[in-house]
Amino acid sequence: DGGITQSPKYLFRKEGQNVTLSCEQNLNHDAMYWYRQDPGQGLRLIYYSQIVNDFQKGDIAEGYSVSREKKESFPLTVTSAQKNPTAFYLCASSSAENYEQYFGPGTRLTVT
Amino acid sequence: GQNIDQPTEMTATEGAIVQINCTYQTSGFNGLFWYQQHAGEAPTFLSYNVLDGLEEKGRFSSFLSRSKGYSYLLLKELQMKDSASYLCAVSSNAGNMLTFGGGTRLMVKP
């Protein structure tokens, strides 16, 4: 069964701690994306990667970091520099031939 | 830059028809997506329009006018399970990135 997995579904952290959200896909997609969604809002792009070992900042990259060492994996680290990290985080992937993005189930991060 | 506008909220009655509009301003337009998102879940693909006109898929249809920078999603025979947010997203020359609108929260009432 092909798809995108994100874990965990819910994550709780104390302020000042870094936290890494995982995203894995077995769709053989080249491109992967991280979005942030706040209550009642649309999706805002944090980082994206078109190919392994390369990634670019999206609209709201400050306070976040990513890596793309493998085609299947695109982990997102929420650092202590992110002023308001509590949000719903969605990972997506797409192929080079098709602009449609496939989404993982999301991780709801709460920082207190 | 890109700008995508859609209404924040809409309410409709079960069994009725509702039209959700989306207007956009972008350079290098490739196509427009509509996604459905239930609360706390991932967005799921509904439709993709590249050319002008209406694409029909069961109870859902999507329309695009490239010259007017306008699209709408039409939902017929509304069901309670259609209560969700509907996201309009534009694909532009910037690779295969999508820019999303703020989403329209649709509430279907009995």
Side-chain angles (χ1 to χ4, degrees):
Chain A
D1 239 338
I4 303 178
T5 58
Q6 291 183 243
S7 60
K9 179 75 172 172
Y10 298 95
L11 191 55
F12 298 88
R13 279 294 182 271
K14 294 289 188 185
E15 197 174 315
Q17 294 178 332
N18 291 356
V19 58
T20 298
L21 282 58
S22 78
C23 177
E24 305 279 331
Q25 54 99 359
N26 61 2
L27 299 168
N28 199 34
H29 285 169
D30 288 308
M32 297 186 73
Y33 314 82
W34 273 106
Y35 294 93
R36 170 186 172 132
Q37 188 174 37
D38 293 288
Q41 305 289 315
L43 277 61
R44 291 187 290 167
L45 183 65
I46 305 172
Y47 268 98
Y48 65 100
S49 168
Q50 306 273 29
I51 197 169
V52 174
N53 291 323
D54 189 44
F55 49 82
Q56 282 80 42
K57 293 181 180 180
D59 299 320
I60 54 166
E62 186 175 348
Y64 300 97
S65 66
V66 293
S67 62
R68 186 86 187 278
E69 297 175 3
K70 299 186 299 182
K71 188 175 186 178
E72 304 79 22
S73 179
F74 190 41
L76 172 76
T77 297
V78 184
T79 75
S80 56
Q82 168 49 234
K83 296 284 186 280
N84 187 16
T86 295
F88 188 47
Y89 290 89
L90 285 159
C91 178
S93 69
S94 66
S95 68
E97 298 79 29
N98 185 341
Y99 295 133
E100 179 185 347
Q101 292 186 10
Y102 295 78
F103 286 85
T107 293
R108 187 167 297 281
L109 173 65
T110 302
V111 176
T112 56
Chain B
Q2 301 187 66
N3 192 37
I4 301 173
D5 288 314
Q6 47 181 136
T8 305
E9 281 190 1
M10 298 183 72
T11 303
T13 305
E14 193 175 12
I17 299 173
V18 71
Q19 178 175 312
I20 302 174
N21 296 326
C22 173
T23 58
Y24 63 89
Q25 294 172 311
T26 186
S27 55
F29 177 84
N30 285 331
L32 187 142
F33 287 88
W34 284 97
Y35 282 86
Q36 180 191 60
Q37 186 182 26
H38 285 98
E41 298 182 9
T44 55
F45 170 81
L46 289 177
S47 66
Y48 178 48
N49 292 68
V50 177
L51 302 176
D52 286 358
L54 188 68
E55 298 267 350
E56 296 186 76
K57 194 187 294 185
R59 294 190 298 115
F60 292 7
S61 303
S62 56
F63 171 84
L64 176 67
S65 169
R66 294 175 68 127
S67 61
K68 294 182 180 178
Y70 168 67
S71 172
Y72 67 72
L73 180 69
L74 194 70
L75 290 74
K76 302 176 186 175
E77 301 169 19
L78 279 172
Q79 302 175 9
M80 297 300 291
K81 68 178 182 179
D82 296 330
S83 293
S85 289
Y86 292 86
L87 307 175
C88 172
V90 170
S91 171
S92 69
N93 272 346
N96 36 356
M97 285 199 300
L98 298 181
T99 301
F100 285 83
T104 299
R105 186 177 161 210
L106 174 66
M107 289 174 281
V108 179
K109 296 186 174 179

